[in-house]
Amino acid sequence: MQEKILNTATEMFLQYGFKSVTMDDIAEKLGISKKTIYAHYSTKNKLVQAAGSHLLQSISEGINKVRSRNLNPVIENFEIKRFVNQHLKGEKTSPHFQLKKYYPKIFNKLIEEQFNVLENCVEDNISRGIELGYYRKQIHIPFVCRIHFVGMMGIKDKEMFPLEEFSEGDLTEEFLNYHLRAICTEKGIKTLEEFKATS
C-alpha cells in the first residue's frame, strides 16, 4: 500500500502541483481513508519529500538507461531531455515552482541530490565528447557542469520565463543549443545541426 500511495501522490503532485494536492485528494483517488495514508506518511511534508526523492530516483534510472546506449555525446543530451520531458508533467502547474515556494527545505535537499546526479552525467558526457572530438579540449569540466546545472534550473523560473511567452520544452531545447554551441568543436556543431535538421 505504501508504494501505491507514493506512486499516486507523485503522479498527482506532478499533474496538479505540490501545494494544490491535499491528503484528502490522494485518499479519494486511491479509494482509501486519509488515516491509511497517515499510517505510512505521518505528515504531508514527509509524503512530499518521499515523492520528490522517488521522482528523482526514477529519472536518474532513466537517464542511466539512456547513457548505457553509448550514443554520440551531442545527441545524448537531446535523448536525456526527451526522456525527462516525457516523465515530468505539470508544465502549467509548475511543480518545481510550488516545491520551491511552499516546501523550501525539501526543495533545497532535492536540488542538492539532483546536482549530484546531473554532475556525474554531464562530466561523463563532456569527457567522452572531448575524447571523440565533438567538444573542445580546453573545457574546464567542473565549471561547465555547474553552468549546465544553473542554466537548467534557471529556465524553470516562471517569473523570468513566464509560460505565456516560453514553453518548458522550447526552453530546454534552446538551452541545450546554447550550451552545446559553447562547447562543441566544428565536428560537434556539424553533428548538432544534422541532428536538428532530422529531428
Side-chain angles (χ1 to χ4, degrees), residues 21-59:
V21 175
T22 66
M23 297 296 248
D24 284 312
D25 294 331
I26 298 163
E28 186 181 337
K29 177 83 173 178
L30 285 164
I32 60 174
S33 72
K34 199 162 57 166
K35 191 176 174 183
T36 306
I37 298 176
Y38 283 121
H40 297 283
Y41 299 99
S42 57
T43 64
K44 184 181 175 186
N45 273 27
K46 287 184 178 174
L47 182 53
V48 168
Q49 172 72 60
S53 294
H54 175 64
L55 180 62
L56 187 60
Q57 179 66 31
S58 299
I59 288 173

Side-chain angles (χ1 to χ4, degrees), residues 114-168:
Q114 194 175 345
F115 174 70
N116 292 335
V117 169
L118 189 65
E119 182 180 37
N120 182 34
C121 172
V122 176
E123 270 184 8
D124 176 69
N125 180 276
I126 293 173
S127 297
R128 285 194 307 112
I130 291 170
E131 188 181 330
L132 296 169
Y134 293 100
Y135 301 151
R136 294 182 293 105
K137 288 182 181 174
Q138 303 81 6
I139 291 170
H140 187 279
I141 297 176
F143 171 78
V144 172
C145 286
R146 284 163 174 76
I147 283 291
H148 187 271
F149 184 74
V150 168
M152 290 301 283
M153 291 300 102
I155 62 174
K156 293 180 187 298
D157 184 335
K158 295 306 170 205
E159 291 177 0
M160 185 64 71
F161 297 101
L163 281 170
E164 305 79 55
E165 294 179 51
F166 304 94
S167 82
E168 210 156 291

Side-chain angles (χ1 to χ4, degrees), residues 74-82 173 180 192 195:
V74 174
I75 294 167
E76 182 180 81
N77 285 280
F78 290 94
E79 289 301 309
I80 287 172
K81 179 205 79 147
R82 187 174 298 158
E173 188 86 10
L180 288 167
L192 173 64
F195 175 77

Side-chain angles (χ1 to χ4, degrees), residues 72 87 92-93 107 137 139 147 157 163 174:
N72 176 302
H87 288 80
K92 289 184 171 62
T93 58
F107 176 81
K137 288 182 181 174
I139 291 170
I147 283 291
D157 184 335
L163 281 170
E174 286 299 324

